[in-house]
Amino acid sequence: MHVSHGGSHTVPSRLSGGACAVLLVLVAGCSGGGGQDEKASGSPSASATSESQVSADASVDPASGDPSLPSPRSVAGADRVRLSERQPRILRGFANEPDWLAIGFGSVWTLQGDGSVLRFAPSGRLVATIDADLYRPPVCQGLGVSDDAVWACATNGKLIRIDPATNRVTKVLTVPKLSEQGRLVTASGHLWVLTADGAELTGIGLTDSRPGKPIPLGSYCTDLAVGSSAALWVICASDGLLLRVDPQAREITGRVALPLPRNAAVADHVWVSFDEGLAQVDPETLDVLAVHDIQPGLSGGVRAYDDEVWIRSEVSPFLTRIDPASGEAVEVITAPAIRSGGDVVAMDEHLWATAYDDKVVVRLTP
């Protein structure tokens, strides 16, 4: 996947079609103002800015504030087990690269590189392959679930709505979504996508499928996360920012500076993979409470629950589990034969993970 932005900035990508994830430095001519400058070299600092300190359209220097991140917590003391010890069911034979995962309607869903969606029963049985037959290169990432539908990016500029009762595509929406955005999240009655090359956040009505007025972000952003509250969390890799957005008030209510954040998951805390590891962020104060020395990488994933946080690393280890109560890494699952990145999600008593270049979906007992 190749994504071009106005301005000069650095963007992480997941590549499909046998390629690994890389860091692209994209330089293009500015149009109508352009993006923020690259950060200076050296170790960026962590800083948080709440709504009381900054207006929604203000610029925040990621290098200001607290001079350093917390010292990383080592995962070296975690129990190490092999994937074979976790009763894995390794599902193979997929023509295209399965990557992003979502849970809904009693099933596990994954998006393939050609824009088709696979639906699995909890047992691991493949229930359906849903293909809108729209795909044209380059790859468009994006998968999510709302109360009554599954949403996916079938190809650049085209989102599809899948009815889980029939496994049929019921709507095709033309939306200039950023192709890199892998998490399609819902909040306040809308499906949220990054538009304008990641510089805006646009809500699509779940009832009428109409896009609302975009929310300007003041940064070039790459992915989203949402928890049980209405707040949206926006990852802006090139600007080194995690944004907290109130979608109802249409305001940026806080900013956290982290070097090259890549993806995030939300439970009691916000867990953000970034250039120096995994950050644990307080959703109210925006303080970085801890940093863990586990690297999901450019094409890894993070999934947070009340009692556990799972990290799917790009290369090794395959999976890492953190106990959010103690803040300690408690388990590392290795899989030397699996050599590509992917996603992770938990459903009932099983954990699911993808490895897109290996073209496998793994169901295991955590």
Side-chain angles (χ1 to χ4, degrees):
M1 179 196 316
H2 182 88
V3 181
S4 179
H5 299 269
S8 173
H9 40 280
T10 308
V11 180
S13 294
R14 297 165 96 102
L15 295 186
S16 198
C20 63
V22 297
L23 194 66
L24 301 178
V25 180
L26 305 176
V27 181
C30 296
S31 174
Q36 297 179 2
D37 292 337
E38 293 274 14
K39 298 187 295 295
S41 60
S43 178
S45 61
S47 62
T49 313
S50 68
E51 182 182 15
S52 62
Q53 296 169 295
V54 63
S55 63
D57 59 353
S59 295
V60 175
D61 179 5
S64 65
D66 193 355
S68 64
L69 291 163
S71 297
R73 294 182 177 181
S74 175
V75 302
D79 292 338
R80 297 182 67 87
V81 299
R82 294 181 67 88
L83 177 62
S84 58
E85 300 176 52
R86 287 293 182 260
Q87 302 173 355
R89 181 173 182 182
I90 300 179
L91 310 174
R92 304 180 185 274
F94 306 111
N96 288 280
E97 296 85 349
D99 192 352
W100 303 97
L101 289 164
I103 298 293
F105 314 102
S107 301
V108 178
W109 308 75
T110 187
L111 177 69
Q112 295 198 104
D114 65 351
S116 63
V117 176
L118 305 177
R119 181 178 188 174
F120 295 95
S123 64
R125 177 176 62 88
L126 179 62
V127 174
T129 300
I130 302 111
D131 192 349
D133 197 23
L134 298 172
Y135 176 70
R136 297 291 183 275
V139 170
C140 185
Q141 316 287 356
L143 180 69
V145 173
S146 63
D147 288 341
D148 62 354
V150 175
W151 299 83
C153 191
T155 194
N156 270 344
K158 300 290 184 182
L159 290 178
I160 56 172
R161 179 190 185 277
I162 299 170
D163 181 352
T166 63
N167 293 325
R168 293 181 180 276
V169 176
T170 58
K171 287 184 181 177
V172 177
L173 306 181
T174 301
V175 181
K177 170 193 165 292
L178 181 76
S179 62
E180 288 181 297
Q181 179 193 343
R183 308 280 187 213
L184 299 180
V185 303
T186 60
S188 301
H190 291 79
L191 178 78
W192 294 92
V193 295
L194 293 165
T195 53
D197 289 341
E200 295 177 345
L201 184 61
T202 299
I204 300 168
L206 293 175
T207 55
D208 60 12
S209 300
R210 294 181 179 177
K213 183 179 179 181
I215 301 172
L217 297 173
S219 297
Y220 286 99
C221 305
T222 49
D223 221 330
L224 304 178
V226 68
S228 58
S229 70
L232 294 173
W233 299 88
V234 187
I235 298 96
C236 310
S238 62
D239 292 331
L241 289 172
L242 171 71
L243 306 180
R244 184 181 62 196
V245 176
D246 182 336
Q248 292 184 319
R250 299 175 49 80
E251 292 181 348
I252 297 172
T253 59
R255 295 168 169 85
V256 181
L258 290 167
L260 280 176
R262 288 152 188 165
N263 54 61
V266 187
D268 289 341
H269 295 115
V270 186
W271 300 81
V272 189
S273 70
F274 73 111
D275 199 42
E276 297 177 16
L278 182 72
Q280 182 179 355
V281 178
D282 187 300
E284 299 298 328
T285 66
L286 302 183
D287 292 332
V288 179
L289 304 176
V291 172
H292 304 266
D293 68 349
I294 181 69
Q295 280 282 2
L298 293 174
S299 62
V302 180
R303 198 73 67 160
Y305 303 97
D306 291 340
D307 58 350
E308 59 186 9
V309 178
W310 286 97
I311 300 94
R312 169 72 174 91
S313 294
E314 180 180 16
V315 180
S316 181
F318 182 57
L319 291 163
T320 303
R321 177 165 63 93
I322 292 176
D323 176 4
S326 66
E328 299 296 329
V330 293
E331 185 177 31
V332 169
I333 299 175
T334 62
I338 295 177
R339 302 179 180 276
S340 59
D343 202 2
V344 60
V345 72
M347 181 182 181
D348 299 329
E349 72 274 17
H350 289 101
L351 197 68
W352 294 69
T354 54
Y356 58 85
D357 276 350
D358 296 86
K359 297 183 180 179
V360 299
V361 177
V362 182
R363 171 183 172 272
L364 66 151
T365 302

